[in-house]
Amino acid sequence: TRASLAREGELARSATSSVGFRHLGLVIGLIAIAPLLASELDEAEETATLNATAVILDAQLPLTQKIPITLDLYREFQRVPDGEIPDLARPFDENGAADDPDVAIARDELLESVQAVLTRAFRSSFVLSALFAVLAGIAGFAFGRRATA
């Protein structure tokens, strides 16, 4: 910011340049991060679905409990509009998680597996964002030193 404040009447040009470079940085960041994030979320959706399926199949529950929970999970996904996260605990809660520790364990394992996948999906986008922040800091430091010299 200090570099954008010109000394001798060039304030308007300097401010325009500063705002322009900031907008350019934002646009470059969005162009780089948005496709990366979108592709990672698509992959994460598939992995989360496979992990959730494995949790249900491996749950220490009889088929008479697994089938209603699975059908309720399906209905929950159908109920929620695209882009929103369904309440994955609801089917378990409606099928006895409060009273049956095995149902509660299956619910908790499913929620943990899905959350872990979605959390990992954001890592490379965060790393790229951090890299842009470091580069912006270096550029700001370099231009700031040049402006004071």
Side-chain angles (χ1 to χ4, degrees):
T1 303
R2 187 177 342 137
S4 69
L5 298 177
R7 293 186 190 146
E8 299 174 13
E10 296 182 9
L11 184 59
R13 190 180 106 222
S14 183
T16 302
S17 296
S18 176
V19 170
F21 283 122
R22 290 175 190 190
H23 279 72
L24 180 64
L26 179 63
V27 169
I28 290 171
L30 287 174
I31 288 171
I33 293 169
L36 177 63
L37 183 58
S39 69
E40 289 175 339
L41 287 177
D42 286 342
E43 292 173 20
E45 179 183 12
E46 185 175 327
T47 303
T49 301
L50 292 174
N51 289 356
T53 303
V55 167
I56 295 294
L57 290 174
D58 294 341
Q60 298 299 314
L61 300 171
L63 282 177
T64 55
Q65 283 182 303
K66 285 183 183 181
I67 292 172
I69 291 170
T70 303
L71 291 173
D72 288 346
L73 278 169
Y74 173 78
R75 287 185 202 105
E76 183 67 22
F77 276 100
Q78 297 304 309
R79 183 185 68 76
V80 176
D82 284 345
E84 290 188 27
I85 299 174
D87 181 2
L88 298 177
R90 182 186 306 191
F92 293 92
D93 295 340
E94 291 175 349
N95 285 282
D99 302 323
D100 188 339
D102 290 335
V103 175
I105 289 170
R107 176 199 60 206
D108 295 343
E109 288 177 354
L110 183 128
L111 293 174
E112 288 175 19
S113 72
V114 170
Q115 183 178 16
V117 169
L118 293 178
T119 300
R120 282 191 301 274
F122 288 96
R123 283 188 182 160
S124 53
S125 297
F126 286 146
V127 168
L128 184 58
S129 297
L131 177 64
F132 281 138
V134 168
L135 291 174
I138 291 170
F141 181 74
F143 284 117
R145 289 184 60 85
R146 190 176 76 185
T148 59

